[in-house]
Amino acid sequence: MGAAAAALAAPLLLAAADLAVPPRSELNRPWPFFTAEEPDEPPVRAPADALKSFAMPPGYAVELVATEPLVQDPILMEFDGEGRLWVMELPGWAHNLSMENSLEPVNRLVVLDDSDNDGVFDKRTVFADKLVLPRAFKILAGGCALIGEPPTLWKACDTDGDLKADTREKVADGFARLGVLEHGANGLFWGMDNLLVVSEHEWNVAYRAGQFVTVPGLRRGQWGVTQDDAGRIYRNVNTDPLFVDYVSPDYFARNPDLVRTRGLYENLVDQEKTNIWPAHPTFGLNRGYRREVFRADGTASYYGGVSSPLIYRGTRLPADVQGMAFVADGATNIVHLLRLKDDGQGRMAAEDYYARGEFLASTDVRFRPTALAGGPDGTIYIADMYRGVSQDGPLQTDYLRDYINKRGLARGTGHGRIYRVVHVGANGAAARMPRDARPQMSRDTTASLVAHLAHPNGWWRDTAQQLLVQRADPRSRPLLERLVRDRKTDWRTRLHALWTLNGIGGMQPALALIAMADTRPELRAAGLRLAEPWLATGDRKMSKAALALAVDANWQVRVQLAASLGALPAEQRTAPMIALLNAQGDDPVLVDAALSGLKGGEMAVLTALAGQAGAPREALAMLSGALAKRRDAAIGQLVAMAGDAGQPALVRNALLDGLALGLAGGVQAGGNAVAGGRAGGNIPGVTRQRGGGSRFELASEPRGLAVLADGKDALAEPARKLLALVTWPGRPAPPALPPRSAGEEALFRRGQSIYVEQCSGCHQLQGQGQATVAPPLAGSKRVAANGDVPVRILTNGLEGKIGLMPPLGSAMSDEEVAAVLTYVRQSWGNTATPLPPAAVKEWRLAFAHRTTPWSEKDIDAPQR
C-alpha cells in the first residue's frame, strides 16, 4: 500500500503535446473589466462570442467543453468514476414567455462523454428522461443514480450497460413539493461521514446495509452543498454565499426542544464587508428598483442569487486557491471567489479573495452559472444555463417581470454551455495544460480504490470512498485499517479510511481510540463520533478517552465532545455535561451541541450550574429555553427563580431571556435580510404580523416577576417580555391590538388627521364606506393584507366594481402614506400591523414602473 499511495501522490498526467486546445476565453484582458453598454434587447450569443464576454484574473481562462445541442438548460452536474459528466437538464423551468414552470415531463438526466479524450465532450446519452421538475441527483455504483423528482426520491438503474436507466424504484416520498423550485429539496451530496446531505429539506439520506434510507435533519441551505478536506459541510442561501456545519445535523434533530442550533449552518461571510464586482450594470434583479444601493455605474454590490458553493480541492489550479470557496451568482453573471480561513482551532471565516474584481465576470446578461463541480482532472467545471432569465415567474417581483419583458429576455431558451477553468500562467505562453489521467474506477480493484484515498485531488478521494462503501468488499478492511494505523500517511487519507471503514461496518473500538489520540484535530473529532456506539454501552475505556478531550487544545474537538456526550447512557451523562458547561458554557456553539444530547436532563444540569459562582449565562439561558419550549412543568419553578431577588442578577437575566425565547418558540432559522437593504426579500423596517401563540398558564400569579417588570433596572424589560408570554387564573385576556410604540402612535395620530381631511368624504368617518361611492375599510381584507396591497392601492389606484379609486397617495410623502394606512389598519376593529415609512418607500419604488391603476384581480394576486 505504501508504494501505491506514494505513486498516486503525483497523479498520472496526459501529455500536453497530445491534447487539443478547446475554444478558450481571452487571456489577460483588462481586469477587473466593466462595460456600461446595455443593449435594449440583449442578443443570444453564439458560444464563440460568449467566450469573448469573460474577464478573469491574469493567467486564468475558461475552455468551452460542451455546448448546445449536446447540453441544454443545465442546472446540476457531477463526474462519475469513469470521468463522464452527468448533467441534469431543466428545460421546463421558466419555459415560456410568462416564465412559468412546466409540469410536463420534459426534463432529463444526461451523461456527456469525451470519447476521443481531447478534452471536449462529444457524446450524449440520456440516462433518464420524462422527469417533472427534478431538483437533485447523485451518481451511484453499478450504473445507478438517485434522482430527486418532487415529491419522490428515486433510485434509477441501467441494468444492461447502455447508460440508459431501465429500472426505477422509490426510495422515499416527500422529496419537496412539486412546483416549488427555489425552495425545494436539492443536494444529495455524499459527505465524508457517508451522510447524503439534502439542502432545503427536513431529512437527509443515509446508506445502510446496501439500502438508502431517510434520516431526520433540519432545513438549511438553498442551492448546493460542498465539503472541505476535513469533511465539514458548506451551504448557502440566496443572499449569503457560505455557511458551515461544525456539528452534524443529526445531533440537533435528536432534540426538538432546542431553541437554537448554533454550530449548524454558521454564516462565514460578513455582509457589511463582502462585495461583488459585476462587469456590467445589473438592474435586472428582483430588487433592482432599490437604486440607492447600486453603485453609480449600475453594478450591484451584493449577490443577487448566490448558489452552488464549491471548496476547491483539486490540483491543476494554483496552490493559493486550493481550499478556497467558489460560489456562482447567476443573477449578476459572475463566479465569486472567497478566501476561506481556519483560525487554527477549527473556527472558519471567509472573505472576498480579491479586493476588487471577480474570479469570472461576464458582460453577457445571459451567462447564468448554475453549478460548479470539481473534476477528476483537478480543475473546476462551470454549468451555464444560458438564459436571459434567472428568476422564474412565480417568484418574480412586478419590477423584474416588467424589466424582462421590455428587453425580450424571456426569449432564447434551450441553450447551455459547460466550461472548464484553466490556469496557464500570467504570460499566457503555455497553449496547452496537462490534465490528470482519466479514471476507470468501476474496473479498479478494491486495492486500487483504497490507494485512491491517497490521491491529492479531493475528487478522487471522495469518489473512491463512495465506491468502496457501496462495494463493501471485506478485502478492503485490512487495507483501510493499515492506513488508519500508519501515522506517516497523510491525515486526509486516514480520515477517509476511517469513514470508509465505518461505512462498510468495519469500525473497531481500537481504531476509534487511535483516532482520538491522533495529533491531528480532524482525526480526534472523527474518533469521537465513531466512538459513540461504544460510549452508548458505557464502555469505560472509551468514555475515559473521550472525556479526556474536554481540555483538548482544539475548539472543534471540544465542540464534538459536547455533541458526543449525548451518546452516553442517561445516568452517566449529567456529571460530565455539568463539568463541560461549567468550564465552557459561554460558548454558544458548544452549548447547543451539548444540549442536543440532554433531552430530559436539562433541569438537573441547570440547577447545578445556577448554584455555582460565575454560572455560565449562555448555558443557563439555553437550558431554560429548552424547558420552556417543551412547556415543561418546571417552568413555574424557573419563573419563581427569575423573580427571586436573592438569586444573582446574571442567573435571573439568563432565565428571563431563555424562558421568553422558549415560550416564543425559539430562534427562527434562516431569514433573508441583508445589511443596508442591498438584496433579499425582507423589507427594512417591516415586522411580521404580531400576536399569535397561546400563553403558558402558571398555577398562580408570579409576584416576583411582576415586581421585577415594574422596576427600572436592566432586568425590567426582559421581565416584561416574559410576563407577556404567561398567564394565570384570573389574569385578563390580552388586548386584540398590541400596544403601539411611541413612533407608531405618532404615525397613527398624524394619519387620523389626514384621513379625516382627505379620505372620510368617501369612506366615511368610521370607515363604513358608501354603497356606490367607496367600499368599507372597516373589516376590509385588503386593508389588513400584506402591507404592499394598501400601499399599491393608495399610490397607484384601483379599478374596482364600484369605480376608480384614484391614486391619492401619489401626491403624498412616504411618511403621510404610512401614517394614514397605519390609522386605517388599526381603527374600527382592524388589527393589522402599523406600516413604517421605509415600507412605503420600498413598495412605491417596486411598482414605480406602473402607469395605470391596478385591477382587482391583479391587486389580489400574490406579489414578491
Side-chain angles (χ1 to χ4, degrees):
M1 272 301 302
L8 281 168
L12 296 174
L13 302 179
L14 299 174
D18 296 333
L19 299 178
V21 179
R24 180 182 288 174
S25 62
E26 182 182 343
L27 273 168
N28 302 327
R29 68 186 302 186
W31 178 88
F33 186 83
F34 174 79
T35 178
E37 296 179 6
E38 280 193 283
D40 292 336
E41 292 196 17
V44 174
R45 299 191 188 188
D49 290 332
L51 279 170
K52 298 175 183 177
S53 74
F54 294 127
M56 301 185 75
Y60 284 98
V62 292
E63 295 177 340
L64 182 67
V65 297
T67 187
E68 65 272 5
L70 194 72
V71 63
Q72 301 163 35
D73 303 296
I75 62 160
L76 291 169
M77 60 183 174
E78 182 184 6
F79 283 92
D80 69 13
E82 308 305 296
R84 297 173 298 218
L85 185 62
W86 294 48
V87 182
M88 184 69 79
E89 297 181 336
L90 201 67
W93 181 83
H95 72 114
N96 56 20
L97 294 182
S98 298
M99 295 160 284
E100 299 164 325
N101 298 317
S102 172
L103 296 181
E104 296 299 314
V106 297
N107 309 288
R108 307 167 287 269
L109 177 58
V110 304
V111 184
L112 304 185
D113 200 0
D114 175 8
S115 62
D116 57 6
N117 208 30
D118 66 349
V120 176
F121 296 105
D122 50 41
K123 182 180 178 181
R124 167 190 174 93
T125 304
V126 178
F127 177 80
D129 59 2
K130 298 181 181 179
L131 300 173
V132 179
L133 297 178
R135 288 279 298 176
F137 76 94
K138 173 61 195 168
I139 304 168
L140 304 176
C144 298
L146 294 177
I147 299 175
E149 182 192 27
T152 307
L153 179 62
W154 302 102
K155 181 182 179 183
C157 292
D158 158 33
T159 62
D160 56 12
D162 63 357
L163 268 183
K164 298 177 181 179
D166 42 52
T167 67
R168 183 185 295 189
E169 65 176 284
K170 182 185 292 187
V171 175
D173 286 315
F175 189 85
R177 290 189 296 111
L178 185 62
V180 180
L181 278 167
E182 182 167 320
H183 298 289
N186 68 92
L188 290 176
F189 181 88
W190 192 308
M192 195 175 298
D193 61 358
N194 300 308
L195 183 72
L196 278 69
V197 179
V198 181
S199 211
E200 280 270 30
H201 204 41
E202 289 79 19
W203 47 253
N204 296 307
V205 178
Y207 183 67
R208 294 174 179 168
Q211 299 294 320
F212 290 94
V213 296
T214 62
V215 294
L218 297 179
R219 181 180 288 268
R220 298 289 186 274
Q222 187 162 11
W223 182 255
V225 187
T226 187
Q227 73 176 356
D228 62 16
D229 283 341
R232 285 177 290 239
I233 291 294
Y234 297 80
R235 285 172 284 187
N236 72 291
V237 74
N238 186 24
T239 53
D240 287 292
L242 202 64
F243 294 73
V244 67
D245 289 353
Y246 294 121
V247 181
S248 181
D250 54 311
Y251 291 107
F252 294 116
R254 67 187 174 181
N255 188 353
D257 298 330
L258 294 174
V259 295
R260 191 184 65 185
T261 56
R262 287 292 305 274
L264 179 68
Y265 203 59
E266 288 284 306
N267 196 350
L268 298 182
V269 180
D270 188 336
Q271 290 183 348
E272 297 280 6
K273 295 178 181 178
T274 186
N275 288 283
I276 63 170
W277 300 91
H280 66 97
T282 52
F283 291 125
L285 305 177
N286 243 351
R287 313 296 164 193
Y289 52 80
R290 295 180 182 170
R291 296 301 172 94
E292 71 274 14
V293 299
F294 284 76
R295 299 187 181 96
D297 61 12
T299 57
S301 62
Y302 200 77
Y303 311 92
V306 68
S307 66
S308 193
L310 174 71
I311 307 301
Y312 177 60
R313 300 162 62 217
T315 52
R316 293 288 152 228
L317 299 182
D320 61 349
V321 299
Q322 292 178 10
M324 300 299 106
F326 292 79
V327 294
D329 193 53
T332 58
N333 321 115
I334 65 170
V335 174
H336 191 77
L337 177 57
L338 293 162
R339 187 184 306 278
L340 191 59
K341 299 185 294 186
D342 186 330
D343 70 350
Q345 294 287 310
R347 298 182 185 91
M348 309 303 294
E351 62 186 11
D352 297 333
Y353 192 88
Y354 302 112
R356 183 185 177 101
E358 290 300 328
F359 180 77
L360 175 62
S362 175
T363 58
D364 185 353
V365 72
R366 294 176 184 271
F367 171 61
R368 304 293 187 186
T370 55
L372 309 177
D377 58 358
T379 185
I380 296 173
Y381 286 74
I382 302 169
D384 174 13
M385 198 176 193
Y386 203 77
R387 291 283 194 103
V389 175
S390 66
Q391 179 72 73
D392 50 339
L395 293 180
Q396 289 173 1
T397 59
D398 199 75
Y399 160 83
L400 179 57
R401 190 176 302 113
D402 179 73
Y403 184 98
I404 289 170
N405 289 335
K406 286 178 178 177
R407 290 160 179 79
L409 291 172
R411 296 192 289 272
T413 60
H415 301 276
R417 290 91 194 258
I418 307 290
Y419 299 100
R420 176 173 53 234
V421 176
V422 297
H423 185 269
V424 297
N427 60 11
R432 295 175 174 86
M433 277 285 293
R435 297 196 305 273
D436 292 4
R438 181 168 175 163
Q440 297 180 336
M441 290 195 186
S442 67
R443 286 167 280 182
D444 280 340
T445 65
T446 293
S448 294
L449 287 180
V450 172
H452 292 329
L453 298 180
H455 201 287
N457 181 353
W459 179 89
W460 285 74
R461 301 194 302 272
D462 293 350
T463 307
Q465 175 183 328
Q466 294 165 28
L467 293 174
L468 284 165
V469 169
Q470 293 172 83
R471 188 177 291 187
D473 185 348
R475 291 172 295 182
S476 67
R477 292 189 180 186
L479 303 176
L480 293 165
E481 288 182 17
R482 195 177 308 161
L483 288 177
V484 172
R485 294 176 184 276
D486 183 2
R487 292 180 182 254
K488 294 181 181 179
T489 299
D490 185 88
W491 68 270
R492 294 168 296 182
T493 300
R494 288 185 289 136
L495 190 60
H496 277 284
L498 275 169
W499 285 114
T500 305
L501 276 166
N502 194 63
I504 63 175
M507 180 52 54
Q508 301 296 323
L511 299 178
L513 289 168
I514 288 172
M516 283 193 284
D518 200 89
T519 57
R520 292 291 309 198
E522 297 87 353
L523 272 294
R524 299 198 298 277
L528 279 165
R529 291 185 66 186
L530 295 169
E532 289 174 9
W534 294 279
L535 292 176
T537 67
D539 184 292
R540 291 187 177 183
K541 186 175 183 180
M542 197 67 76
S543 298
K544 182 179 179 181
L547 294 176
L549 297 177
V551 292
D552 194 277
N554 185 271
W555 173 80
Q556 178 71 74
V557 175
R558 299 194 303 273
V559 167
Q560 182 57 53
L561 173 64
S564 294
L565 285 178
L568 288 168
E571 66 276 7
Q572 297 180 24
R573 200 179 303 164
T574 303
M577 202 72 87
I578 291 170
L580 186 66
L581 291 175
N582 189 50
Q584 303 175 60
D586 280 318
D587 179 333
V589 174
L590 185 142
V591 165
D592 291 2
L595 268 59
S596 72
L598 201 56
K599 183 176 174 62
E602 294 93 347
M603 193 62 186
V605 175
L606 186 153
T607 303
L609 293 177
Q612 299 181 25
R617 185 194 182 285
E618 193 76 27
L620 291 176
M622 294 303 103
L623 286 162
S624 57
L627 289 162
K629 186 178 178 182
R630 191 163 66 233
R631 303 213 158 206
D632 193 278
I635 291 177
Q637 181 182 344
L638 294 178
V639 170
M641 283 180 65
D644 182 358
Q647 291 285 344
L650 180 148
V651 172
R652 301 176 78 189
N653 185 268
L655 294 177
L656 290 168
D657 285 350
L659 287 167
L661 183 61
L663 290 175
V667 176
Q668 295 298 313
N672 60 348
V674 176
R678 291 180 291 177
N682 287 359
I683 312 301
V686 179
T687 59
R688 293 180 181 273
Q689 197 82 10
R690 292 180 297 197
S694 61
R695 295 180 172 192
F696 181 81
E697 184 163 354
L698 299 170
S700 60
E701 181 181 0
R703 297 187 182 277
L705 185 63
V707 170
L708 199 58
D710 285 338
K712 295 183 179 180
D713 63 15
L715 296 179
E717 183 56 34
R720 286 192 287 270
K721 184 185 295 185
L722 177 56
L723 203 59
L725 295 169
V726 297
T727 190
W728 52 86
R731 185 179 190 186
L737 194 64
R740 290 183 286 269
S741 68
E744 291 168 346
E745 183 63 28
L747 273 179
F748 182 89
R749 296 301 177 193
R750 185 180 182 189
Q752 183 178 30
S753 299
I754 296 172
Y755 180 85
V756 169
E757 180 181 335
Q758 299 192 41
C759 309
S760 62
C762 294
H763 291 285
Q764 303 294 288
L765 282 173
Q766 299 303 312
Q768 67 268 37
Q770 301 182 66
T772 60
V773 178
L777 300 180
S780 167
K781 291 183 179 179
R782 290 178 182 144
V783 165
N786 288 335
D788 69 283
V789 171
V791 171
R792 288 155 58 202
I793 292 173
L794 191 56
T795 58
N796 295 102
L798 176 67
E799 189 70 55
K801 295 176 183 177
I802 293 178
L804 175 66
M805 159 71 188
L808 296 177
S810 61
M812 296 181 182
S813 69
D814 294 339
E815 288 76 11
E816 290 171 329
V817 172
V820 71
L821 289 180
T822 293
Y823 173 72
V824 169
R825 284 160 65 88
Q826 298 225 310
S827 296
W828 322 304
N830 293 336
T831 59
T833 55
L835 286 180
V840 175
K841 177 183 178 181
E842 171 82 13
W843 288 314
R844 196 195 289 267
L845 287 170
F847 301 101
H849 60 277
R850 289 195 65 94
T851 57
T852 58
W854 294 94
S855 69
E856 290 189 323
K857 178 181 177 182
D858 286 344
I859 203 68
D860 292 333
Q863 291 287 331
R864 283 275 288 169

